[in-house]
Amino acid sequence: MKKVTYWTLLPALFGSLLAGCANGGGGAEPAPGAKPEETPKKPAEPVELIFYSNSGEAEESFNGKFGDTLRAKFPEYTIKYTRAEKGAMIPEIIAAGDRVDIIYNVFDYVLEPLLNYGIQYDMTELAKKHGVALAAFEPSVIDGIRRAGNGKLYMLPTSLQVPMVFYNKEIFDKFGVPYPKDGMTWDEMKAMSQKLTRKDGGVQYFGFVGSQSFSLKLNPFSEPYLDEKTGKSTFERETWKKMIQTVFLDTDSENALKSQVQAKNALPNRIGFTNTKDVAMLHFHSEFPIAVPKELEKINWDMVAFPTFKELNGVGGQAAAVSMSITSMAKNKDAAMEVIKYLTSLEVQTANSKKGVMSVLKEESVKAAFGQESQFKGKNWKGVYFNKLAPIPYRSVYELEVERIYSAAIADVIKGQKDINTVMRETAALTDKKVAELQSAMKK
């Protein structure tokens, strides 16, 4: 299979928000259930590990999250970082005869370049060799990674993100509406949002603003973008219709969101929540407080678990897994596995959990430590673990391309210029056409 050239750097809807998430340091412990190992022997030759993220984040951010921690733990290793930018995209790196050893980002953003450019590497035997206890990880994530790799382990998760609702207490106080709580249903969210969606003093307030990407990618019904057997779009399924109707239409009142999208071709966003302060409740993921702490300092906020559908019995959504993948071109795969193993160790995961980074481990003591050392005291940190996780469905190599098409369709539905069934039918057809084009390009 030839490497295709249609892959481009996408706005990292999840990955770019990881900037500022610092990892802990100190002596390593094995993950719960890991087999005891002897201290790795000093390598005979100098080890250089080149990390790469297609989120395009700055080197300073990489060092804060991973680089400084790994250099302290592995002083004999040279840890380098390459960012995705013009001249340093994966196909350009390959063409120049250079390499990257470890690619990291959120699951889908790692999967696409691995498979498109044939640089995936099954880490299963390497994980066994180094005593990585996969049974200690959140099972839905490991299952999702294996499913995406047709049973192979192309990456390991280092942290998770789950959908949450962040709310501005000042807007609730202004209109005399009780604050949201963990365990809300979508019926309760609908009623609350409609009370808060109103004009006051010339300002249009929005009760609840959903995220197109998070609603799609982390949907609680575990609906895949493409059918695993046929490769065709799933967008005409009733579950997608229910998601869009519930999250984006039912929570609106007086056509406030509709008017906004018609005028600006975009939903209100994070800026409306932290800066203009006209969004009462915002759908975002659990690392929001770490991603933009200075912005959140501007408002009196808190968070609650994502609302649930009655028929799903407390399932709030899928987890987005920030993952690391050893590439097939990695020069020292054993050293690469050692650093990934360390980042998933009990000690590092606990240190990160205290800062507000959701752990990949099932260990209850790690979960109990969540947010303890955050600068934001007294927040509802336990809400992150309130809901059950949905299984991660089939992911295709076309995931990000399809997501763009589906996201645009949600905006079209909100605009109301076509009925929802027509938009979904046309979107499914457009998706199938696009996937066929991409498949044809891969064969050339």
Side-chain angles (χ1 to χ4, degrees), residues 45-58:
E45 298 181 1
V47 172
E48 177 187 74
L49 294 175
I50 303 173
F51 285 74
Y52 181 92
S53 177
N54 46 14
S55 70
E57 71 175 319

Side-chain angles (χ1 to χ4, degrees), residues 54-129:
N54 46 14
S55 70
E57 71 175 319
E59 185 170 1
E60 181 181 9
S61 174
F62 164 78
N63 287 333
K65 291 188 296 181
F66 306 116
D68 293 342
T69 296
L70 294 176
R71 292 183 188 105
K73 176 62 180 175
F74 301 95
E76 69 276 23
Y77 294 177
T78 299
I79 305 295
K80 293 186 176 181
Y81 171 68
T82 298
R83 63 182 292 170
E85 58 188 351
K86 187 176 181 180
M89 305 302 287
I90 290 295
E92 295 168 320
I93 290 172
I94 294 172
D98 296 326
R99 76 174 200 278
V100 295
D101 299 297
I102 298 173
I103 295 179
Y104 75 92
N105 202 338
V106 176
F107 187 162
D108 298 352
Y109 290 85
V110 176
L111 184 66
E112 188 184 50
L114 288 178
L115 299 184
N116 278 348
Y117 299 108
I119 57 173
Q120 69 271 22
Y121 176 78
D122 185 2
M123 297 160 57
T124 302
E125 293 305 315
L126 201 57
K128 289 180 182 178
K129 176 182 177 181

Side-chain angles (χ1 to χ4, degrees), residues 153 225 409 425:
L153 188 73
Y225 290 173
R425 184 177 64 254

Side-chain angles (χ1 to χ4, degrees), residues 190-209:
K190 173 182 175 180
M192 186 176 292
S193 178
Q194 291 182 352
K195 289 178 183 177
L196 292 161
T197 303
R198 61 173 81 179
K199 276 192 175 181
D200 184 85
V203 177
Q204 174 65 66
Y205 290 93
F206 303 94
F208 172 82
V209 175

